[in-house]
Amino acid sequence: MNSAESEPSFSVLGTVRARLGDAPIPLGSPQQRALLAMLLLRRNDVVDLDEIVDGLWGEEPPRTAVGTVRSHVYRLRRPLGSRITTHGQGYLLHTAPGTLDLDVFDQLVAQARACTAAQEAGEAAERLARALDLWRGTPLAGLPGPHAAIHRERLAELRLSVLLERIELDLHLGHHARLVPELTRLCAEHPLHGKLRELAGIALARSGRNARTAQGEQGSQNEKAEQDQQDARPHRIPAPTAAAGAPAETGEPPVRPDGGELPRPAQLPFPPDNLIGRTEAVQDLLDTLTNPRPESLVIATVTGTAGVGKSALTVHVAQRLRDRFPDGQLYAGLRGTSADPANPGTVLAGFLQALGTPEPAIPDGAQEKAALFRTMVAGRQILLVLDDARDTAQVEALLPGSPTCAVLVTGRAALEGLQAVHRVRLEPLAAREALAVLDATAGPRRIAAEPVQAAAIAERCGGLPLALRLAGARLATRPSWSLSDFVRLLDGCHPAFPALPPFSVFPAPAGSQDGITACVRPSYDLLDGEEARLFRLLALRGRGATDVAGAAALGGLSPTRTGQFLERMTGLGLLESPQPGVYRHYALLRTFAAELSRADDRPDERVAALVRFLDQLLADARAVHAAERPGHHVPGMLPPDGHPGRLDSRQRLLDPEHDGALTVAAQILETVPSAVAAAADLALAVEPLLEGSHLWAHSLDPLDTILRAAQDQGHLRAAGRAGYVLASAFTQLGRLDEAGRMLDTAEHAARAVGDDAVHTAILNRRAHLCQYRAHWRRADALHREAVAAGDACGSDWAGRNARASSVSTLLRLSRRDEAAEISRTTLASAVDAGDRGGEAYALYNLGLTARHLGRPDEAVARHQQSAELGARYGSPVMEAMNLISETAAQLAGNRPSDAVDCGKRAVAAARRLGWHAAEARAHRLLETALAAADDCKPVKPVKPQTQQSKDPLTSPARPRHPHHPPSTAPSAC
C-alpha cells in the first residue's frame, strides 16, 4: 500500500464521513462528528479547547463540557491515531493534501477561474461542474452546535456562488435550453435570489421560450414549487384608499396614463461575491425592511468609517429584497465624501426617467421633481438605495412619501437628523472575521501556512474589509510572496521596498477608486486647515483613546474648539467615539494620519505636540496620585498651577488593550529624549493605579525603556523613580531576584539625589521581598526603617503605609496584640486623612488579626467592609484579596458552604485581574472548602501561567496564605 492509500479521506460537503481506501471509518455520535468537523475546517491548525466548547454548546455549556470534549478526542484517536495531536489547551488534526473534499473543491474552483482568465470557458465550466459533483447534500448535515450551523450556512452560500459561476459560463457557451429546467428549479428553491431570476430570464429569452412554457414543461412538481415560492413572498401592502387621495391597490401591474405598463427599474449594482462577518447586521436590516409599518415610511441607515463595508452590506441586503419590492429598486451614489456631492435634483431626474417619465416632462425645479417623484411611487413597492450620503438634507430631498416604499441609506456621517430611522453602525471586523476575509481572497492554504503572519496582516488592516480584500488580492496575484514578506512590506522595512509608506501597498488600480487612500482621502479633504492638523497630530497619541483635554494639548488649541473639531471628524467617520467626550482613530486611519503628519507637519511641531501631551498626561497622573495617597509629599507629584489634572482619567492612564500612559511616555522618549524626567515622574504617579489593578505585566517594557533612557542620560532622580516602579512590578509578578537587584540600583540613585520619599518606598518594598522569602525578622527591621524614614520626610501616608505593611510580619512573629493595635491606629489615621485606600487596607488587616485571634465572625465582617470600600474606590485587587481571606475566615468559622461560595467568587475575581498567584491560592482554599462541605469532587486547581522565575505565592519558602494589597507586604494566614 502506498502512502497516499494509507491516508484517510474526509468529507464535509454533505454528511461528515471518513474513509480509509474503500472502508468507512466509524466516527461515533453526531456531537463527536461535529468536533471532527471543527478540526477538519481548521485542518493542520490548532483549535483551542475554549473554541471547541463554544462551537459545540454555545454560550451555556454544561459543567462537564471539557471532560466530554476530551472523551470525544480520545474516541476519535482510536480510528485516526496520532493524526490528532494535543497542543497546550487545544487540538490539531493533521491531514494530507487532497484528502478533504473541500480542499479538492477549492482547487478545482481555482483552476476553473484560471481557465476563465485565459478565456477557456469550456474547460472552466467542466472543472466547476466537477467541483460541484463533490457535494453530497447539505454540508455538515445533522451536526449539532453553533459552529456547525454557521459553517453549514457559509458552505451552502459557497456552493450557490460557484453554481452561479458555472451557469453563467454555460450561458456564455450557448447552453440556454438545457439550463431552463435547472434555473426554474433553483428559482423555486431560492425565491428571493435576484441573480437566479435574472439568469433564468436570460436563459428563457435566448432559448425562445417564456416563463409560462418553462413552468409547463416542469410538470406538477414545479407547479408546487411555484406555489411555495408565492407563499414565501411577502404580501403586497395595500396602498392608501381612494378616500385618502390615492388610487386603490388592485394587484395589477401599474400603468402609465397612455395605458402602457410602467417600468420596473432594477438599478442595484452587482452584489459582493462574499460577505463575511455581518450576519447580525444583515438579519437586522432584512427584518426591518421586510416588516414595514403601514403608517410610515421605513428608513434604515448603515454608517461607519471608510472601507468598513457599508456599500457591500447594503447592496447584499438590497439584492435579497428584490422580490419583496417587485415594483422596482432604485439606486443612486450620492458622492457624499467628495468635493462635488450629487445634486438631489439631478438624482430625482434620473429616478423619474427610470420610472418612465419622458425627459421633456420632467420639471425644472427641485421641489417639483420631488413632488412628481412622490406621485410616481405612491402605492408602489419600491426600494431606494442611497449610497454615500453627505448629510440629512441631501437624503430628505429624495425620500418618497408612500409607506409601501422603503429606503436604505449609507454614509460616514450619522445622519442624526433623519426621523423614524432604524440605524445600523458597522464597526471593523473582529480578528477571526478579518482572517476569514483574507482566507477568502488570498486562499486558505496561504493563511493556514502562516497563521501568525496572517493575524499580523489582519491587525495592520485594522479589520477594514476593503483593506483586507486589497491585501488578499495582492497576495493572490503574487504567489511567490510569503506572508512574512508582506508584513515587512506593511511595516515599511522590507529591503526590496525602501521608503514605501504603508498605504502604498494598497494602491488603487489604474482608473479605479478602490484604493484605501482613494477611500479615506475625500473625508480628510473636507476638513479645514486646523481640523486637518489636529487629525494628523492625534496619530502621535498611538492606539489609545484621547479625551478633549488630551487632544487640545496635542493641537495646542482651546478645549472648546478642540471639542467642535473632534465632533466634526467623528461625524465624517474619521474618528470613533467609544464614550462621551472620548475619541480615537480607527486603526488604518491612524496609519493614514501618521503618514500625513510625517509629510505635512514640521519635526519641531511634532515634538512640541508630544511634549504638551506628556505634560497633560503627567498632570492627570499627579491628580490621581494626590487623591490615592493623601499626605504623601513627593517632589513633582502635585499638579502645577494652571494645568490641573482630572481624576476621571484613571482608565485611560492605564489602558491594557491600547497604549496606556506609560507606553505613550516610552514612545515619546524615542523622539524627545529630554522628556525623561517627566516620563519617570509619570511612572511614579501611576504606581497607585498599577497596584490597584494588577496591570504590572503591561508596564514592564515601557518602564524598562524609561529607566534605560534615564541611565543613558545620567539622570539619577529619573533612574531612581523608574527603577523603583520597575522593581515593584518584578516583586508583584514574582520575579524576586530581579526585584532585589533593581531595588539596589534604584536605592543608590535615590540616595544620591536625596529623593527621600522614594527611598522610603524602596525600604518598604525591600521588606516585602523579605516577607516573600519568609525572612520575618529582617522584614520587621526594614518596616521599622521605612516608618522612621516616612516620618522623617514628612509623609503621613508613607509612615502609615509602612506600619500597615508590617501587620502580616507581626502575625508571623506571633505578636498578635501588637498587630491588632497597629491595625486600629492606622484605620483611625486613614479615616482622618481621607485615605480610602489606607482605610480599606486597615480593615483588611483587622480581618487578618481577628482570624488569628480566633474571632472568625469578626474577620468575615471586616473583610466584607474592606472589599466593599475597595470596590467603591476602584481597587479590584483589594476586592480579590478580601474574598480570598474571607474564604479562609469562613473555613476557620466552620462554615464550609459559605466558604465554597466565597471561594468561587475569589477565583473569578483573581482570574479577571490575571493575578495568577492569587488565583492559585483561591483554588487551594476552594478545594479545601469543597472537601469540607462534601459538596462535590474537589476542583482541580488551574496552574497559573508560567513566569520566568519562581512564583512567590507557590514557593515553599513563602507563607501559605500571602496576599498583599497596594504598596504593602503580603498578609499572613
Side-chain angles (χ1 to χ4, degrees):
M1 179 180 295
N2 60 39
S3 60
E5 293 173 336
S6 65
E7 287 294 331
S9 60
F10 300 95
S11 174
V12 293
L13 303 180
T15 303
V16 172
R17 294 190 176 94
R19 304 182 70 86
L20 187 59
D22 294 331
I25 297 175
L27 298 178
S29 67
Q31 191 176 73
Q32 193 166 299
R33 287 187 287 113
L35 190 155
L36 176 62
M38 295 179 71
L39 299 178
L40 284 169
L41 291 175
R42 290 272 295 280
R43 52 212 172 276
N44 302 314
D45 191 12
V46 177
V47 184
D48 291 335
L49 181 60
D50 289 344
E51 187 177 345
I52 293 173
V53 171
D54 290 343
L56 294 180
W57 288 282
E59 296 182 356
E60 296 184 0
R63 294 181 61 184
T64 58
V66 172
T68 301
V69 170
R70 288 172 177 160
S71 296
H72 288 336
V73 172
Y74 173 77
R75 294 189 183 98
L76 285 171
R77 277 179 173 151
R78 291 176 181 173
L80 298 178
S82 60
R83 293 178 183 86
I84 300 180
T85 56
T86 302
H87 293 264
Q89 290 292 311
Y91 301 98
L92 181 148
L93 174 62
H94 298 273
T95 62
T99 56
L100 178 65
D101 58 355
L102 180 58
D103 285 343
V104 179
F105 175 83
D106 289 338
Q107 184 178 12
L108 286 169
V109 171
Q111 293 171 357
R113 288 170 180 167
C115 291
T116 301
Q119 298 184 350
E120 299 173 357
E123 181 65 20
E126 191 273 332
R127 290 182 186 272
L128 288 180
R130 285 168 53 195
L132 292 166
D133 285 343
L134 295 170
W135 292 71
R136 297 291 185 267
T138 302
L140 310 178
L143 299 189
H147 176 274
I150 291 170
H151 285 274
R152 190 178 295 119
E153 181 178 353
R154 177 182 71 84
L155 291 171
E157 291 180 356
L158 174 64
R159 178 185 180 277
L160 185 58
S161 68
V162 173
L163 181 59
L164 288 173
E165 284 187 57
R166 198 224 74 210
I167 290 172
E168 288 182 309
L169 285 170
D170 282 344
L171 283 173
H172 175 73
L173 293 168
H175 304 152
H176 316 121
R178 77 181 191 191
L179 286 173
V180 170
E182 181 182 14
L183 282 167
T184 304
R185 174 180 54 80
L186 289 171
C187 285
E189 293 175 2
H190 305 278
L192 299 180
H193 201 293
K195 185 63 175 179
L196 279 171
R197 293 171 62 85
E198 179 184 339
L199 293 174
I202 294 172
L204 287 166
R206 291 182 181 177
S207 61
R209 293 185 290 176
N210 55 37
R212 186 180 305 275
T213 302
Q215 289 169 0
E217 292 174 355
Q218 289 298 304
S220 60
Q221 182 177 356
N222 278 2
E223 288 178 8
K224 181 179 182 302
E226 176 66 18
Q227 182 60 48
D228 292 341
Q229 177 182 347
Q230 294 295 331
D231 292 341
R233 179 179 300 170
H235 294 293
R236 181 182 293 270
I237 298 174
T241 63
E249 176 65 62
T250 64
E252 295 299 322
V255 296
R256 295 196 302 258
D258 61 7
E261 183 178 339
L262 287 175
R264 300 171 187 263
Q267 296 184 338
L268 297 177
F270 188 78
D273 55 356
N274 54 23
L275 192 70
I276 294 172
R278 302 299 190 193
T279 305
E280 290 185 8
V282 168
Q283 192 59 52
D284 188 12
L285 291 170
L286 289 174
D287 291 344
T288 299
L289 294 167
T290 54
N291 296 286
R293 297 181 295 272
E295 72 280 1
S296 63
L297 175 70
V298 174
I299 306 172
T301 63
V302 180
T303 57
T305 190
V308 80
K310 301 180 294 295
S311 298
L313 170 72
T314 302
V315 171
H316 173 86
V317 170
Q319 289 283 7
R320 291 180 62 174
L321 290 169
R322 289 179 66 171
D323 280 4
R324 168 62 188 82
F325 296 95
D327 293 329
Q329 307 89 41
L330 296 168
Y331 175 89
L334 301 184
R335 305 194 307 276
T337 52
S338 73
D340 181 29
N343 181 281
T346 305
V347 174
L348 285 169
F351 285 170
L352 289 170
Q353 284 186 294
L355 291 167
T357 307
E359 186 173 354
I362 298 175
D364 292 332
Q367 292 185 357
E368 289 78 9
K369 287 188 181 79
L372 179 57
F373 171 67
R374 291 193 293 270
T375 301
M376 293 288 292
V377 300
R380 302 182 67 188
Q381 292 177 294
I382 291 179
L383 176 65
L384 274 74
V385 177
L386 306 176
D387 195 18
D388 191 20
R390 188 185 190 99
D391 51 31
T392 299
Q394 188 187 36
V395 173
E396 286 182 334
L398 303 173
L399 296 180
S402 174
T404 59
C405 297
V407 184
L408 194 49
V409 188
T410 76
R412 297 183 192 178
L415 304 173
E416 294 170 352
L418 282 179
Q419 301 296 315
V421 167
H422 181 81
R423 303 181 188 278
V424 173
R425 175 78 181 179
L426 287 190
E427 299 297 339
L429 295 173
R432 185 179 299 180
E433 296 163 344
L435 283 172
V437 175
L438 281 179
D439 185 278
T441 50
R445 293 187 182 279
R446 299 280 292 279
I447 303 305
E450 298 180 81
V452 175
Q453 289 76 16
I457 293 171
E459 189 273 334
R460 283 157 177 77
C461 290
L464 295 180
L466 174 59
L468 292 161
R469 280 196 302 103
L470 291 172
R474 194 159 198 200
L475 286 168
T477 57
R478 292 158 176 80
S480 62
W481 283 15
S482 71
L483 269 61
S484 300
D485 292 336
F486 197 67
V487 171
R488 286 192 291 272
L489 175 58
L490 288 172
D491 290 340
C493 55
H494 193 294
F497 300 93
L500 276 181
F503 269 70
S504 67
V505 302
F506 302 128
S512 169
Q513 292 299 311
D514 287 339
I516 293 295
T517 303
C519 183
V520 175
R521 184 82 196 205
S523 291
Y524 172 76
D525 288 340
L526 294 175
L527 303 176
D528 66 24
E530 283 193 315
E531 290 172 330
R533 175 176 169 273
L534 179 61
F535 173 77
R536 299 192 302 269
L537 293 178
L538 284 173
L540 301 179
R541 163 66 177 87
R543 298 183 302 161
T546 306
D547 59 10
V548 174
L554 276 168
L557 302 166
S558 71
T560 300
R561 297 190 68 197
T562 301
Q564 294 170 348
F565 292 169
L566 293 170
E567 278 297 303
R568 174 164 160 74
M569 285 185 266
T570 303
L572 290 172
L574 292 168
L575 300 178
E576 60 177 333
S577 180
Q579 63 190 74
V582 178
Y583 305 86
R584 65 185 174 212
H585 278 301
Y586 291 95
L588 205 59
L589 270 67
R590 182 175 63 251
T591 304
F592 174 69
E595 289 295 318
L596 290 173
S597 181
R598 281 190 282 271
D600 297 345
D601 299 322
R602 298 195 316 272
D604 61 310
E605 289 181 312
R606 291 159 54 85
V607 167
L610 289 170
V611 170
R612 288 193 302 266
F613 188 67
L614 181 58
D615 287 345
Q616 181 63 54
L617 286 177
L618 182 55
D620 291 343
R622 285 167 172 168
V624 172
H625 186 275
E628 293 282 339
R629 297 183 175 175
H632 191 28
H633 302 302
V634 184
M637 285 298 104
L638 292 177
D641 294 338
H643 198 171
R646 283 107 4 100
L647 292 177
D648 61 353
S649 58
R650 286 178 171 87
Q651 182 178 357
R652 289 188 297 282
L653 284 169
L654 291 183
D655 186 349
E657 296 183 1
H658 299 97
D659 292 343
L662 291 177
T663 300
V664 173
Q667 292 169 349
I668 289 174
L669 286 182
E670 296 177 3
T671 305
V672 194
S674 60
V676 68
D681 284 353
L682 178 66
L684 188 62
V686 301
E687 187 208 5
L689 299 181
L690 292 168
E691 292 275 16
S693 62
H694 201 76
L695 289 174
W696 295 104
H698 298 276
S699 71
L700 291 178
D701 287 342
L703 284 172
D704 182 69
T705 298
I706 296 169
L707 175 61
R708 290 179 182 277
Q711 291 172 334
D712 290 345
Q713 298 177 45
H715 200 301
L716 291 179
R717 193 180 90 158
R721 295 186 170 193
Y724 158 69
V725 181
L726 184 56
S728 298
F730 286 146
T731 303
Q732 302 286 27
L733 294 172
R735 296 163 61 170
L736 305 186
D737 293 339
E738 293 169 277
R741 291 192 295 271
M742 188 57 62
L743 285 173
D744 290 341
T745 302
E747 185 173 17
H748 174 78
R751 281 182 178 274
V753 295
D755 201 351
D756 296 333
V758 172
H759 179 236
T760 301
I762 290 171
L763 290 172
N764 204 44
R765 193 64 78 189
R766 285 192 182 281
H768 298 168
L769 285 179
C770 291
Q771 288 177 317
Y772 280 126
R773 290 168 169 148
H775 300 161
W776 303 111
R777 297 194 182 281
R778 177 57 181 155
D780 182 42
L782 283 166
H783 278 309
R784 292 178 185 276
E785 284 188 60
V787 168
D791 293 343
C793 73
S795 173
D796 295 338
W797 182 90
R800 179 170 59 251
N801 183 65
R803 290 180 177 90
S805 296
S806 70
V807 167
S808 57
T809 297
L810 296 174
L811 291 173
R812 278 291 177 175
L813 295 173
S814 298
R815 291 153 60 183
R816 298 181 182 87
D817 292 337
E818 187 178 350
E821 178 62 23
I822 286 178
S823 298
R824 286 192 292 270
T825 57
T826 53
L827 175 61
S829 173
V831 171
D832 290 342
D835 179 3
R836 296 173 301 171
E839 183 181 350
Y841 185 23
L843 288 168
Y844 172 80
N845 280 338
L846 283 171
L848 292 181
T849 56
R851 176 158 56 89
H852 276 263
L853 291 169
R855 301 196 292 267
D857 291 347
E858 179 185 342
V860 168
R862 292 298 193 181
H863 285 309
Q864 290 176 349
Q865 285 179 280
S866 176
E868 182 181 356
L869 183 59
R872 223 169 35 234
Y873 84 83
S875 175
V877 162
M878 184 64 72
E879 180 185 7
M881 288 165 41
N882 277 287
L883 284 170
I884 293 170
S885 292
E886 183 190 340
T887 304
Q890 296 283 12
L891 284 169
N894 197 27
R895 290 184 291 271
S897 61
D898 291 338
V900 168
D901 176 68
C902 191
K904 290 178 179 178
R905 289 186 287 126
V907 169
R911 184 173 295 160
R912 283 194 299 271
L913 292 169
W915 190 2
H916 308 300
E919 185 181 347
R921 166 65 181 144
H923 266 291
R924 290 195 296 269
L925 283 170
L926 179 57
E927 272 193 304
T928 303
L930 287 167
D934 196 23
D935 183 39
C936 61
K937 185 178 179 181
V939 175
K940 183 178 179 181
V942 175
K943 185 177 180 181
Q945 292 182 6
T946 304
Q947 300 283 350
Q948 289 183 357
S949 62
K950 188 185 298 179
D951 190 318
L953 280 184
T954 58
S955 169
R958 295 282 318 281
R960 181 166 171 75
H961 307 311
H963 294 290
H964 46 91
S967 298
T968 67
S971 67
C973 88

